[in-house]
Amino acid sequence: MKAGGHMPFEEFPLKEVDQLVHELDKVKPAGSTVIVTPMEDSHHSPCLKEMIAVMVHTAGKDDQSSEIHSLYQYCPDCKIAVRVL
């Protein structure tokens, strides 16, 4: 797996979302966190199952804005992930 090197819109097989989280934790920018959340209003078009979002995010402090470094979507049924940002 090359979590830090996936290009936007690159789709890849992924057995468990924890694998991606582990890889992103290794390459995330200092001070950022990896957040995993269900995507209640987004469904994988081939199977229509709910997707999971995995985001590398730095929260803004005081007057600084927050920053999203990368965003992935994962279908736990089809075992496919895609980097969308």
PDB file of all heavy atoms in Angstrom, residues 20-51:
ATOM      1  N   LEU A  20      -5.427   1.461   5.951  1.00  0.00           N
ATOM      2  CA  LEU A  20      -5.228   2.805   5.419  1.00  0.00           C
ATOM      3  C   LEU A  20      -4.922   3.784   6.544  1.00  0.00           C
ATOM      4  O   LEU A  20      -4.010   4.606   6.423  1.00  0.00           O
ATOM      5  CB  LEU A  20      -6.457   3.246   4.626  1.00  0.00           C
ATOM      6  CG  LEU A  20      -6.399   4.639   4.012  1.00  0.00           C
ATOM      7  CD1 LEU A  20      -5.224   4.769   3.040  1.00  0.00           C
ATOM      8  CD2 LEU A  20      -7.710   4.974   3.324  1.00  0.00           C
ATOM      9  N   VAL A  21      -5.655   3.695   7.631  1.00  0.00           N
ATOM     10  CA  VAL A  21      -5.420   4.580   8.776  1.00  0.00           C
ATOM     11  C   VAL A  21      -3.985   4.418   9.279  1.00  0.00           C
ATOM     12  O   VAL A  21      -3.293   5.415   9.529  1.00  0.00           O
ATOM     13  CB  VAL A  21      -6.438   4.305   9.901  1.00  0.00           C
ATOM     14  CG1 VAL A  21      -6.069   5.058  11.179  1.00  0.00           C
ATOM     15  CG2 VAL A  21      -7.849   4.670   9.456  1.00  0.00           C
ATOM     16  N   HIS A  22      -3.522   3.201   9.398  1.00  0.00           N
ATOM     17  CA  HIS A  22      -2.159   2.934   9.860  1.00  0.00           C
ATOM     18  C   HIS A  22      -1.132   3.576   8.920  1.00  0.00           C
ATOM     19  O   HIS A  22      -0.174   4.220   9.382  1.00  0.00           O
ATOM     20  CB  HIS A  22      -1.930   1.428   9.974  1.00  0.00           C
ATOM     21  CG  HIS A  22      -0.570   1.046  10.401  1.00  0.00           C
ATOM     22  ND1 HIS A  22      -0.102   1.245  11.688  1.00  0.00           N
ATOM     23  CD2 HIS A  22       0.458   0.497   9.711  1.00  0.00           C
ATOM     24  CE1 HIS A  22       1.155   0.835  11.768  1.00  0.00           C
ATOM     25  NE2 HIS A  22       1.518   0.362  10.586  1.00  0.00           N
ATOM     26  N   GLU A  23      -1.316   3.413   7.625  1.00  0.00           N
ATOM     27  CA  GLU A  23      -0.377   3.985   6.654  1.00  0.00           C
ATOM     28  C   GLU A  23      -0.420   5.511   6.666  1.00  0.00           C
ATOM     29  O   GLU A  23       0.617   6.164   6.576  1.00  0.00           O
ATOM     30  CB  GLU A  23      -0.671   3.458   5.249  1.00  0.00           C
ATOM     31  CG  GLU A  23      -0.342   1.994   5.067  1.00  0.00           C
ATOM     32  CD  GLU A  23       1.127   1.678   5.312  1.00  0.00           C
ATOM     33  OE1 GLU A  23       2.000   2.426   4.821  1.00  0.00           O
ATOM     34  OE2 GLU A  23       1.406   0.686   6.005  1.00  0.00           O
ATOM     35  N   LEU A  24      -1.612   6.079   6.772  1.00  0.00           N
ATOM     36  CA  LEU A  24      -1.730   7.534   6.810  1.00  0.00           C
ATOM     37  C   LEU A  24      -1.115   8.112   8.080  1.00  0.00           C
ATOM     38  O   LEU A  24      -0.538   9.199   8.054  1.00  0.00           O
ATOM     39  CB  LEU A  24      -3.194   7.952   6.677  1.00  0.00           C
ATOM     40  CG  LEU A  24      -3.820   7.706   5.307  1.00  0.00           C
ATOM     41  CD1 LEU A  24      -5.322   7.980   5.356  1.00  0.00           C
ATOM     42  CD2 LEU A  24      -3.154   8.543   4.231  1.00  0.00           C
ATOM     43  N   ASP A  25      -1.241   7.399   9.190  1.00  0.00           N
ATOM     44  CA  ASP A  25      -0.613   7.848  10.439  1.00  0.00           C
ATOM     45  C   ASP A  25       0.899   7.987  10.287  1.00  0.00           C
ATOM     46  O   ASP A  25       1.514   8.860  10.888  1.00  0.00           O
ATOM     47  CB  ASP A  25      -0.922   6.879  11.582  1.00  0.00           C
ATOM     48  CG  ASP A  25      -2.180   7.240  12.345  1.00  0.00           C
ATOM     49  OD1 ASP A  25      -2.546   8.431  12.383  1.00  0.00           O
ATOM     50  OD2 ASP A  25      -2.798   6.321  12.909  1.00  0.00           O
ATOM     51  N   LYS A  26       1.499   7.135   9.482  1.00  0.00           N
ATOM     52  CA  LYS A  26       2.961   7.174   9.273  1.00  0.00           C
ATOM     53  C   LYS A  26       3.406   8.394   8.468  1.00  0.00           C
ATOM     54  O   LYS A  26       4.512   8.886   8.666  1.00  0.00           O
ATOM     55  CB  LYS A  26       3.421   5.928   8.518  1.00  0.00           C
ATOM     56  CG  LYS A  26       3.366   4.651   9.277  1.00  0.00           C
ATOM     57  CD  LYS A  26       3.962   3.568   8.385  1.00  0.00           C
ATOM     58  CE  LYS A  26       3.556   2.196   8.734  1.00  0.00           C
ATOM     59  NZ  LYS A  26       4.101   1.202   7.799  1.00  0.00           N
ATOM     60  N   VAL A  27       2.562   8.867   7.539  1.00  0.00           N
ATOM     61  CA  VAL A  27       2.993   9.920   6.603  1.00  0.00           C
ATOM     62  C   VAL A  27       2.265  11.247   6.782  1.00  0.00           C
ATOM     63  O   VAL A  27       2.527  12.194   6.045  1.00  0.00           O
ATOM     64  CB  VAL A  27       2.843   9.446   5.135  1.00  0.00           C
ATOM     65  CG1 VAL A  27       3.722   8.241   4.866  1.00  0.00           C
ATOM     66  CG2 VAL A  27       1.397   9.147   4.791  1.00  0.00           C
ATOM     67  N   LYS A  28       1.386  11.338   7.761  1.00  0.00           N
ATOM     68  CA  LYS A  28       0.602  12.563   7.950  1.00  0.00           C
ATOM     69  C   LYS A  28       1.503  13.724   8.379  1.00  0.00           C
ATOM     70  O   LYS A  28       2.539  13.513   9.017  1.00  0.00           O
ATOM     71  CB  LYS A  28      -0.505  12.343   8.969  1.00  0.00           C
ATOM     72  CG  LYS A  28       0.005  12.158  10.377  1.00  0.00           C
ATOM     73  CD  LYS A  28      -1.113  11.876  11.345  1.00  0.00           C
ATOM     74  CE  LYS A  28      -0.504  11.716  12.741  1.00  0.00           C
ATOM     75  NZ  LYS A  28      -1.458  11.309  13.706  1.00  0.00           N
ATOM     76  N   PRO A  29       1.119  14.952   8.035  1.00  0.00           N
ATOM     77  CA  PRO A  29       1.885  16.116   8.481  1.00  0.00           C
ATOM     78  C   PRO A  29       1.847  16.245  10.007  1.00  0.00           C
ATOM     79  O   PRO A  29       0.873  15.825  10.650  1.00  0.00           O
ATOM     80  CB  PRO A  29       1.157  17.295   7.829  1.00  0.00           C
ATOM     81  CG  PRO A  29       0.410  16.707   6.681  1.00  0.00           C
ATOM     82  CD  PRO A  29       0.043  15.314   7.112  1.00  0.00           C
ATOM     83  N   ALA A  30       2.882  16.815  10.566  1.00  0.00           N
ATOM     84  CA  ALA A  30       2.941  17.029  12.012  1.00  0.00           C
ATOM     85  C   ALA A  30       1.744  17.859  12.465  1.00  0.00           C
ATOM     86  O   ALA A  30       1.351  18.817  11.796  1.00  0.00           O
ATOM     87  CB  ALA A  30       4.235  17.741  12.379  1.00  0.00           C
ATOM     88  N   GLY A  31       1.139  17.455  13.564  1.00  0.00           N
ATOM     89  CA  GLY A  31       0.008  18.186  14.123  1.00  0.00           C
ATOM     90  C   GLY A  31      -1.338  17.817  13.533  1.00  0.00           C
ATOM     91  O   GLY A  31      -2.365  18.335  13.955  1.00  0.00           O
ATOM     92  N   SER A  32      -1.357  16.926  12.557  1.00  0.00           N
ATOM     93  CA  SER A  32      -2.624  16.535  11.938  1.00  0.00           C
ATOM     94  C   SER A  32      -3.121  15.225  12.537  1.00  0.00           C
ATOM     95  O   SER A  32      -2.388  14.520  13.221  1.00  0.00           O
ATOM     96  CB  SER A  32      -2.464  16.403  10.420  1.00  0.00           C
ATOM     97  OG  SER A  32      -1.572  15.365  10.104  1.00  0.00           O
ATOM     98  N   THR A  33      -4.376  14.919  12.272  1.00  0.00           N
ATOM     99  CA  THR A  33      -4.976  13.685  12.760  1.00  0.00           C
ATOM    100  C   THR A  33      -5.659  12.966  11.605  1.00  0.00           C
ATOM    101  O   THR A  33      -6.016  13.580  10.596  1.00  0.00           O
ATOM    102  CB  THR A  33      -6.022  13.949  13.860  1.00  0.00           C
ATOM    103  OG1 THR A  33      -7.016  14.836  13.346  1.00  0.00           O
ATOM    104  CG2 THR A  33      -5.406  14.558  15.088  1.00  0.00           C
ATOM    105  N   VAL A  34      -5.836  11.664  11.770  1.00  0.00           N
ATOM    106  CA  VAL A  34      -6.576  10.859  10.808  1.00  0.00           C
ATOM    107  C   VAL A  34      -7.949  10.592  11.413  1.00  0.00           C
ATOM    108  O   VAL A  34      -8.046  10.086  12.526  1.00  0.00           O
ATOM    109  CB  VAL A  34      -5.858   9.529  10.493  1.00  0.00           C
ATOM    110  CG1 VAL A  34      -6.659   8.706   9.506  1.00  0.00           C
ATOM    111  CG2 VAL A  34      -4.451   9.793   9.956  1.00  0.00           C
ATOM    112  N   ILE A  35      -8.988  10.971  10.691  1.00  0.00           N
ATOM    113  CA  ILE A  35     -10.357  10.860  11.173  1.00  0.00           C
ATOM    114  C   ILE A  35     -11.114   9.875  10.284  1.00  0.00           C
ATOM    115  O   ILE A  35     -11.055   9.973   9.055  1.00  0.00           O
ATOM    116  CB  ILE A  35     -11.056  12.233  11.147  1.00  0.00           C
ATOM    117  CG1 ILE A  35     -10.288  13.227  12.014  1.00  0.00           C
ATOM    118  CG2 ILE A  35     -12.511  12.116  11.594  1.00  0.00           C
ATOM    119  CD1 ILE A  35     -10.719  14.665  11.818  1.00  0.00           C
ATOM    120  N   VAL A  36     -11.838   8.937  10.892  1.00  0.00           N
ATOM    121  CA  VAL A  36     -12.642   7.958  10.164  1.00  0.00           C
ATOM    122  C   VAL A  36     -14.098   8.170  10.557  1.00  0.00           C
ATOM    123  O   VAL A  36     -14.426   8.141  11.745  1.00  0.00           O
ATOM    124  CB  VAL A  36     -12.204   6.522  10.503  1.00  0.00           C
ATOM    125  CG1 VAL A  36     -13.063   5.502   9.779  1.00  0.00           C
ATOM    126  CG2 VAL A  36     -10.734   6.311  10.180  1.00  0.00           C
ATOM    127  N   THR A  37     -14.968   8.403   9.556  1.00  0.00           N
ATOM    128  CA  THR A  37     -16.387   8.622   9.835  1.00  0.00           C
ATOM    129  C   THR A  37     -17.248   7.956   8.773  1.00  0.00           C
ATOM    130  O   THR A  37     -16.862   7.897   7.602  1.00  0.00           O
ATOM    131  CB  THR A  37     -16.739  10.125   9.866  1.00  0.00           C
ATOM    132  OG1 THR A  37     -16.379  10.721   8.624  1.00  0.00           O
ATOM    133  CG2 THR A  37     -16.038  10.843  10.992  1.00  0.00           C
ATOM    134  N   PRO A  38     -18.436   7.480   9.166  1.00  0.00           N
ATOM    135  CA  PRO A  38     -19.360   6.941   8.169  1.00  0.00           C
ATOM    136  C   PRO A  38     -19.910   8.080   7.315  1.00  0.00           C
ATOM    137  O   PRO A  38     -20.042   9.209   7.789  1.00  0.00           O
ATOM    138  CB  PRO A  38     -20.463   6.293   9.005  1.00  0.00           C
ATOM    139  CG  PRO A  38     -20.327   6.832  10.374  1.00  0.00           C
ATOM    140  CD  PRO A  38     -18.936   7.360  10.523  1.00  0.00           C
ATOM    141  N   MET A  39     -20.201   7.781   6.079  1.00  0.00           N
ATOM    142  CA  MET A  39     -20.762   8.774   5.156  1.00  0.00           C
ATOM    143  C   MET A  39     -22.236   8.430   4.943  1.00  0.00           C
ATOM    144  O   MET A  39     -22.595   7.753   3.982  1.00  0.00           O
ATOM    145  CB  MET A  39     -19.998   8.763   3.843  1.00  0.00           C
ATOM    146  CG  MET A  39     -18.536   9.111   3.973  1.00  0.00           C
ATOM    147  SD  MET A  39     -17.640   8.980   2.427  1.00  0.00           S
ATOM    148  CE  MET A  39     -18.416  10.275   1.467  1.00  0.00           C
ATOM    149  N   GLU A  40     -23.084   8.899   5.830  1.00  0.00           N
ATOM    150  CA  GLU A  40     -24.489   8.511   5.848  1.00  0.00           C
ATOM    151  C   GLU A  40     -25.223   8.803   4.547  1.00  0.00           C
ATOM    152  O   GLU A  40     -26.138   8.082   4.178  1.00  0.00           O
ATOM    153  CB  GLU A  40     -25.187   9.187   7.020  1.00  0.00           C
ATOM    154  CG  GLU A  40     -24.649   8.725   8.363  1.00  0.00           C
ATOM    155  CD  GLU A  40     -25.251   9.465   9.529  1.00  0.00           C
ATOM    156  OE1 GLU A  40     -26.179  10.272   9.326  1.00  0.00           O
ATOM    157  OE2 GLU A  40     -24.781   9.248  10.657  1.00  0.00           O
ATOM    158  N   ASP A  41     -24.848   9.853   3.844  1.00  0.00           N
ATOM    159  CA  ASP A  41     -25.559  10.231   2.620  1.00  0.00           C
ATOM    160  C   ASP A  41     -24.799   9.878   1.350  1.00  0.00           C
ATOM    161  O   ASP A  41     -25.125  10.362   0.273  1.00  0.00           O
ATOM    162  CB  ASP A  41     -25.870  11.732   2.630  1.00  0.00           C
ATOM    163  CG  ASP A  41     -26.842  12.107   3.733  1.00  0.00           C
ATOM    164  OD1 ASP A  41     -27.702  11.263   4.072  1.00  0.00           O
ATOM    165  OD2 ASP A  41     -26.751  13.225   4.256  1.00  0.00           O
ATOM    166  N   SER A  42     -23.772   9.061   1.466  1.00  0.00           N
ATOM    167  CA  SER A  42     -22.980   8.676   0.301  1.00  0.00           C
ATOM    168  C   SER A  42     -22.892   7.160   0.222  1.00  0.00           C
ATOM    169  O   SER A  42     -22.495   6.508   1.182  1.00  0.00           O
ATOM    170  CB  SER A  42     -21.569   9.274   0.397  1.00  0.00           C
ATOM    171  OG  SER A  42     -20.822   8.949  -0.746  1.00  0.00           O
ATOM    172  N   HIS A  43     -23.273   6.634  -0.925  1.00  0.00           N
ATOM    173  CA  HIS A  43     -23.285   5.190  -1.119  1.00  0.00           C
ATOM    174  C   HIS A  43     -22.449   4.811  -2.335  1.00  0.00           C
ATOM    175  O   HIS A  43     -22.424   5.551  -3.324  1.00  0.00           O
ATOM    176  CB  HIS A  43     -24.721   4.685  -1.272  1.00  0.00           C
ATOM    177  CG  HIS A  43     -25.537   4.935  -0.049  1.00  0.00           C
ATOM    178  ND1 HIS A  43     -26.232   6.101   0.148  1.00  0.00           N
ATOM    179  CD2 HIS A  43     -25.727   4.189   1.056  1.00  0.00           C
ATOM    180  CE1 HIS A  43     -26.837   6.049   1.321  1.00  0.00           C
ATOM    181  NE2 HIS A  43     -26.541   4.896   1.891  1.00  0.00           N
ATOM    182  N   HIS A  44     -21.790   3.686  -2.250  1.00  0.00           N
ATOM    183  CA  HIS A  44     -20.970   3.174  -3.341  1.00  0.00           C
ATOM    184  C   HIS A  44     -21.907   2.758  -4.479  1.00  0.00           C
ATOM    185  O   HIS A  44     -22.783   1.918  -4.286  1.00  0.00           O
ATOM    186  CB  HIS A  44     -20.134   1.992  -2.826  1.00  0.00           C
ATOM    187  CG  HIS A  44     -19.084   1.542  -3.754  1.00  0.00           C
ATOM    188  ND1 HIS A  44     -18.793   0.213  -3.934  1.00  0.00           N
ATOM    189  CD2 HIS A  44     -18.233   2.230  -4.562  1.00  0.00           C
ATOM    190  CE1 HIS A  44     -17.803   0.105  -4.800  1.00  0.00           C
ATOM    191  NE2 HIS A  44     -17.457   1.311  -5.193  1.00  0.00           N
ATOM    192  N   SER A  45     -21.745   3.331  -5.640  1.00  0.00           N
ATOM    193  CA  SER A  45     -22.712   3.103  -6.722  1.00  0.00           C
ATOM    194  C   SER A  45     -22.841   1.637  -7.153  1.00  0.00           C
ATOM    195  O   SER A  45     -23.956   1.198  -7.431  1.00  0.00           O
ATOM    196  CB  SER A  45     -22.417   4.006  -7.915  1.00  0.00           C
ATOM    197  OG  SER A  45     -21.117   3.824  -8.377  1.00  0.00           O
ATOM    198  N   PRO A  46     -21.768   0.836  -7.212  1.00  0.00           N
ATOM    199  CA  PRO A  46     -21.967  -0.556  -7.626  1.00  0.00           C
ATOM    200  C   PRO A  46     -22.800  -1.394  -6.650  1.00  0.00           C
ATOM    201  O   PRO A  46     -23.590  -2.222  -7.056  1.00  0.00           O
ATOM    202  CB  PRO A  46     -20.550  -1.119  -7.734  1.00  0.00           C
ATOM    203  CG  PRO A  46     -19.688   0.068  -7.967  1.00  0.00           C
ATOM    204  CD  PRO A  46     -20.335   1.175  -7.175  1.00  0.00           C
ATOM    205  N   CYS A  47     -22.636  -1.186  -5.339  1.00  0.00           N
ATOM    206  CA  CYS A  47     -23.325  -2.035  -4.367  1.00  0.00           C
ATOM    207  C   CYS A  47     -24.366  -1.285  -3.537  1.00  0.00           C
ATOM    208  O   CYS A  47     -25.118  -1.909  -2.788  1.00  0.00           O
ATOM    209  CB  CYS A  47     -22.316  -2.707  -3.448  1.00  0.00           C
ATOM    210  SG  CYS A  47     -21.482  -1.554  -2.333  1.00  0.00           S
ATOM    211  N   LEU A  48     -24.351   0.038  -3.594  1.00  0.00           N
ATOM    212  CA  LEU A  48     -25.270   0.916  -2.855  1.00  0.00           C
ATOM    213  C   LEU A  48     -25.104   0.847  -1.337  1.00  0.00           C
ATOM    214  O   LEU A  48     -25.985   1.243  -0.584  1.00  0.00           O
ATOM    215  CB  LEU A  48     -26.731   0.646  -3.242  1.00  0.00           C
ATOM    216  CG  LEU A  48     -27.035   0.891  -4.721  1.00  0.00           C
ATOM    217  CD1 LEU A  48     -28.466   0.513  -5.020  1.00  0.00           C
ATOM    218  CD2 LEU A  48     -26.750   2.328  -5.119  1.00  0.00           C
ATOM    219  N   LYS A  49     -23.951   0.373  -0.870  1.00  0.00           N
ATOM    220  CA  LYS A  49     -23.667   0.326   0.565  1.00  0.00           C
ATOM    221  C   LYS A  49     -23.050   1.651   1.011  1.00  0.00           C
ATOM    222  O   LYS A  49     -22.424   2.363   0.232  1.00  0.00           O
ATOM    223  CB  LYS A  49     -22.704  -0.814   0.904  1.00  0.00           C
ATOM    224  CG  LYS A  49     -23.236  -2.182   0.552  1.00  0.00           C
ATOM    225  CD  LYS A  49     -24.454  -2.533   1.377  1.00  0.00           C
ATOM    226  CE  LYS A  49     -24.920  -3.937   1.007  1.00  0.00           C
ATOM    227  NZ  LYS A  49     -26.039  -4.381   1.774  1.00  0.00           N
ATOM    228  N   GLU A  50     -23.226   1.965   2.300  1.00  0.00           N
ATOM    229  CA  GLU A  50     -22.695   3.200   2.857  1.00  0.00           C
ATOM    230  C   GLU A  50     -21.166   3.212   2.818  1.00  0.00           C
ATOM    231  O   GLU A  50     -20.520   2.220   3.146  1.00  0.00           O
ATOM    232  CB  GLU A  50     -23.172   3.353   4.292  1.00  0.00           C
ATOM    233  CG  GLU A  50     -22.760   4.648   4.945  1.00  0.00           C
ATOM    234  CD  GLU A  50     -23.323   4.773   6.342  1.00  0.00           C
ATOM    235  OE1 GLU A  50     -24.511   5.116   6.470  1.00  0.00           O
ATOM    236  OE2 GLU A  50     -22.567   4.512   7.297  1.00  0.00           O
ATOM    237  N   MET A  51     -20.602   4.331   2.425  1.00  0.00           N
ATOM    238  CA  MET A  51     -19.155   4.506   2.348  1.00  0.00           C
ATOM    239  C   MET A  51     -18.626   5.011   3.699  1.00  0.00           C
ATOM    240  O   MET A  51     -19.385   5.490   4.540  1.00  0.00           O
ATOM    241  CB  MET A  51     -18.792   5.516   1.268  1.00  0.00           C
ATOM    242  CG  MET A  51     -19.299   5.164  -0.114  1.00  0.00           C
ATOM    243  SD  MET A  51     -18.333   3.917  -0.924  1.00  0.00           S
ATOM    244  CE  MET A  51     -16.902   4.863  -1.396  1.00  0.00           C
TER     245      MET A  51
END
